[in-house]
Amino acid sequence: IAALCVMATPASAKTYYTFDGHPAVQYYQSDMGYPLMKYIERVEYDRVYDKGNGYGVRLYLTSFGRELISSEQNHYVLYKVTDYVGTRPEWKTDRSYNSVATEILHHTQAGRQTVHIEYYYQDLKWWEKPFYGR
């Protein structure tokens, strides 16, 4: 049974590197398992958590993931992607789940394949706060 559980559980391999002069970590599509690998190319987390500097996550969606999230039937895919982003150990935030999901939705509806999600509410631009909420 233990061997079966290990085989069915996707690996959470991560790669440490430096992004823009500070430490970061990446999770690649090949390590996410099904169905996430259909929606996400990779996710990069800044490992610096200073407020006021705009640190956060860079979410790279596949074309298919972006298409599904921005469609009318987006709830399942949006939930899965937001849940993945928010459950990695590097995720540190004062933002709600709904705030993050709304940001992902708005960016994909605008046609963006890369979504930068700030860790802290105060780091959002003034015009983003009313759309994304706390």
Side-chain angles (χ1 to χ4, degrees), residues 10-16 25-28 30-32 84 88:
S12 288
K14 52 184 161 183
T15 304
Y16 294 92
V25 66
Q26 293 178 331
Y27 290 88
Y28 289 98
S30 57
D31 298 317
M32 292 178 196
Y84 183 83
R88 301 302 98 198

Side-chain angles (χ1 to χ4, degrees), residues 10 17 19-21 27 30 34 38-39 57 63 66 69-70 77 80-82 91-92 97 103 107-108 110 127:
Y17 74 109
F19 177 83
D20 200 23
Y27 290 88
S30 57
Y34 183 84
K38 295 183 348 185
Y39 315 131
V57 175
S63 297
R66 190 182 73 227
I69 290 172
S70 61
V77 176
K80 296 301 267 181
V81 169
T82 304
W91 179 247
K92 309 285 190 229
Y97 176 90
E103 183 170 3
H107 280 272
T108 57
W127 53 268

Side-chain angles (χ1 to χ4, degrees), residues 91-111:
W91 179 247
K92 309 285 190 229
T93 187
D94 66 354
R95 295 178 60 194
S96 70
Y97 176 90
N98 286 337
S99 175
V100 173
T102 302
E103 183 170 3
I104 293 169
L105 177 62
H106 281 272
H107 280 272
T108 57
Q109 287 176 334

Side-chain angles (χ1 to χ4, degrees), residues 22-75:
H22 62 272
V25 66
Q26 293 178 331
Y27 290 88
Y28 289 98
Q29 180 181 43
S30 57
D31 298 317
M32 292 178 196
Y34 183 84
L36 286 169
M37 62 191 319
K38 295 183 348 185
Y39 315 131
I40 302 172
E41 288 181 9
R42 74 181 184 277
V43 184
E44 302 173 340
Y45 293 83
D46 293 323
R47 294 182 55 220
V48 178
Y49 302 105
D50 298 339
K51 290 182 180 178
N53 290 315
Y55 293 120
V57 175
R58 287 164 300 284
L59 169 65
Y60 298 87
L61 297 166
T62 64
S63 297
F64 183 61
R66 190 182 73 227
E67 180 183 316
L68 287 178
I69 290 172
S70 61
S71 74
E72 302 257 338
Q73 291 82 25
N74 66 41
H75 300 291

